[in-house]
Amino acid sequence: MTWMTSSEAQDPGTPQEASRCAGSAHRRAARRGLSGKQSRAPAERGGPRPGATGAVLPRRARTINFATRVVSCRAAELRPQGGGEPVRGFQVVLEDTILFPEGGGQPDDRGLIGDVPVLRVTRRGAEAVHFVQAALEPGAEVLLSLDWERRFDHMQQHSGQHLITAIADQMFGFKTTSWELGHQRSVIELDTPSMTAEQIGALERSANEKIRERIPVTVRELAANDPDVETVRSRGLPDDHVGPVRVVDIEGIDSNMCCGTHVSNLSDLQVIKLLGTEKGRKNKTNLVFLAGNRVLKSLEQSHSTEKALTSLLKNGPGEHVEAVKRLQSSVKLLQKNNLNLLRDIAVLIARDFKSKPVPSQLFVLHRKEGDSEFMNIIANEIGTEETLLFLTVGDDKEAGLFLLAGPVEAVENLGPRVAELLGGKGAGKRGRFQGKATKMSQRGQVEALLQEFTSHGSPEA
């Protein structure tokens, strides 16, 4: 397998641009990729990673194609990242590739080999392994194409991470300990227990100022024993590193060992938005951010939501929060009133039953609206020393609640069977057995069981 170097081409339309790494460093990242999990990876791990792309300058939408040859194809299985049954397919190794294998906190590229979709690209030593669902003949010449939209998104997020990491270190001394390029947002783990809103604002302003200054991002390769390696931000080279060291430079701001995909000018990031912080691992803070097109997509989604709320709430965007607060207060008041009415209804139901000249030994009631308190009020009002009560609330087609109350021995014997018939689970003590039911339509069978018990003293009769 040949890995092309970053000095071979600068044209973003060429395959050389998209396949720029040498050596077999970062096998740990390769193993993470083969596991099917996207791990949060150390942000400053030293040395080049076998993979794809250096700096590029996207001036127009493009499809990047590359002619190559199949080296090997073997049967394999792919475990979906979201879980589920493994997918049967094949692991394909090509002579050269323009698809970046996952690792180092960055997801892999997508594309096609001929007309066969590439579902995953992982690392195996210095090789990129492409998972496809159709077998390819070793030795066959194939045309490899790259999903440029996905690639460019990853370039924006990764270069954005380098910029934020460098400025956070320069401004506040906050070191980056790891980062993750997620599907919708990215996270940088900073070695600080907290960040203030003022620090977040200053960091965001500084990052966007650098973007507006159109600062170049360049790639260079150094020999492992080059003295300049010591001046580059890194956590050190892995023990198994071979080949040159790849360095990504943001002119005047940062030099970092990295073999991920990057833009060639900060202006291609468009904009960076820091969404805030979350609690990280011990004494660390997770800084959440969006870069480039993700900011535009987030703005579009927020605008659509704003328009929908304006239509529903019948007021301007500036009044949405207060309108929702008023609605929440109204809902809470209605819920409180509804509960009071349910309690009153429960008392009336119980009194109506007790007012009958000859009360029945079995009392059965179902109501669509209600809760556990509603059922227990009825049981308390009627009394359970002599009467067996079977109460349910909920929709016949959905899950609901049930309560069996009565003489202690009867409830202990019948409770588990009632739960079983209703497809639910429950527990009980002191003459009450209650729980959740998934088969409310089976209430008739429970009632028949209880009728048999009260008539003959045994549900088996």
Side-chain angles (χ1 to χ4, degrees), residues 87-158:
V87 177
R88 293 175 179 263
F90 301 87
Q91 289 182 341
V92 175
V93 175
L94 306 172
E95 282 186 354
D96 304 296
T97 188
I98 56 175
L99 302 186
F100 180 85
E102 66 182 359
Q106 179 173 328
D108 54 340
D109 282 336
R110 292 289 185 270
L112 299 171
I113 303 178
D115 58 357
V116 178
V118 177
L119 304 183
R120 187 77 58 80
V121 189
T122 55
R123 306 169 191 272
R124 187 169 61 206
E127 295 178 332
V129 180
H130 310 73
F131 186 89
V132 296
Q133 287 188 276
L136 300 173
E137 187 67 27
E141 290 190 359
V142 292
L143 185 66
L144 185 61
S145 58
L146 169 70
D147 179 345
W148 175 251
E149 183 177 353
R150 177 181 171 94
R151 160 69 70 82
F152 185 50
D153 172 58
H154 292 172
M155 290 160 56
Q156 288 186 315
Q157 310 315 309
H158 201 159

Side-chain angles (χ1 to χ4, degrees), residues 350-409:
R351 289 178 180 176
D352 178 67
F353 174 79
K354 292 173 68 176
S355 67
K356 294 179 179 179
V358 184
S360 171
Q361 288 183 290
L362 176 65
F363 178 75
V364 177
L365 175 72
H366 173 73
R367 184 180 175 87
K368 187 174 181 180
E369 298 83 13
D371 56 14
S372 294
E373 184 179 5
F374 170 78
M375 295 187 293
N376 277 290
I377 289 174
I378 294 176
N380 291 339
E381 290 289 327
I382 291 178
T384 58
E385 291 81 6
E386 298 179 358
T387 305
L388 188 62
L389 296 90
F390 174 53
L391 311 174
T392 53
V393 294
D395 194 314
D396 280 349
K397 298 180 181 179
E398 299 177 5
L401 304 174
F402 73 90
L403 169 66
L404 181 69
V408 174
E409 186 176 353

Side-chain angles (χ1 to χ4, degrees), residues 148-349:
W148 175 251
E149 183 177 353
R150 177 181 171 94
R151 160 69 70 82
F152 185 50
D153 172 58
H154 292 172
M155 290 160 56
Q156 288 186 315
Q157 310 315 309
H158 201 159
S159 296
Q161 176 264 314
H162 277 223
L163 178 61
I164 296 168
T165 286
I167 296 175
D169 190 6
Q170 293 167 9
M171 292 184 73
F172 311 114
F174 297 159
K175 305 293 184 182
T176 291
T177 50
S178 71
W179 89 290
E180 180 181 16
L181 200 167
H183 294 296
Q184 295 181 325
R185 63 179 199 165
S186 297
V187 178
I188 298 173
E189 184 184 72
L190 297 173
D191 192 11
T192 177
S194 64
M195 283 187 74
T196 66
E198 290 75 17
Q199 288 174 325
I200 294 172
L203 177 56
E204 179 179 287
R205 286 191 296 274
S206 179
N208 285 302
E209 286 171 2
K210 302 302 182 185
I211 291 172
R212 289 191 293 272
E213 291 173 11
R214 297 181 53 81
I215 295 173
V217 181
T218 56
V219 175
R220 57 194 169 113
E221 288 185 349
L222 305 175
N225 59 356
D226 191 314
D228 286 349
V229 170
E230 300 300 323
T231 67
V232 175
R233 183 165 56 85
S234 167
R235 295 175 66 192
L237 291 169
D239 295 335
D240 58 0
H241 170 78
V242 295
V245 176
R246 185 173 181 273
V247 178
V248 176
D249 293 314
I250 304 176
E251 188 176 291
I253 298 176
D254 185 47
S255 291
N256 184 23
M257 292 183 189
C258 179
C259 204
T261 60
H262 292 275
V263 300
S264 65
N265 193 289
L266 290 186
S267 63
D268 294 315
L269 297 182
Q270 301 166 277
V271 64
I272 281 176
K273 180 60 186 175
L274 304 183
L275 300 180
T277 59
E278 298 172 352
K279 187 176 181 180
R281 294 180 296 173
K282 186 177 181 180
N283 293 325
K284 291 180 172 58
T285 296
N286 293 335
L287 180 63
V288 185
F289 76 95
L290 303 175
N293 289 333
R294 292 195 181 190
V295 178
L296 300 179
K297 290 179 181 178
S298 178
L299 180 61
E300 181 180 359
Q301 184 179 23
S302 296
H303 182 61
S304 297
T305 301
E306 184 179 278
K307 286 175 63 178
L309 287 173
T310 298
S311 176
L312 290 170
L313 299 174
K314 308 301 181 185
N315 58 14
E319 300 171 305
H320 285 173
V321 173
E322 289 303 318
V324 171
K325 287 181 178 178
R326 288 195 297 271
L327 285 174
Q328 287 179 325
S329 297
S330 298
V331 169
K332 288 179 181 178
L333 181 60
L334 288 172
Q335 288 174 335
K336 182 178 180 180
N337 292 338
N338 186 50
L339 287 174
N340 289 334
L341 289 172
L342 280 174
R343 293 188 186 101
D344 292 342
I345 291 172
V347 172
L348 291 173
I349 289 172

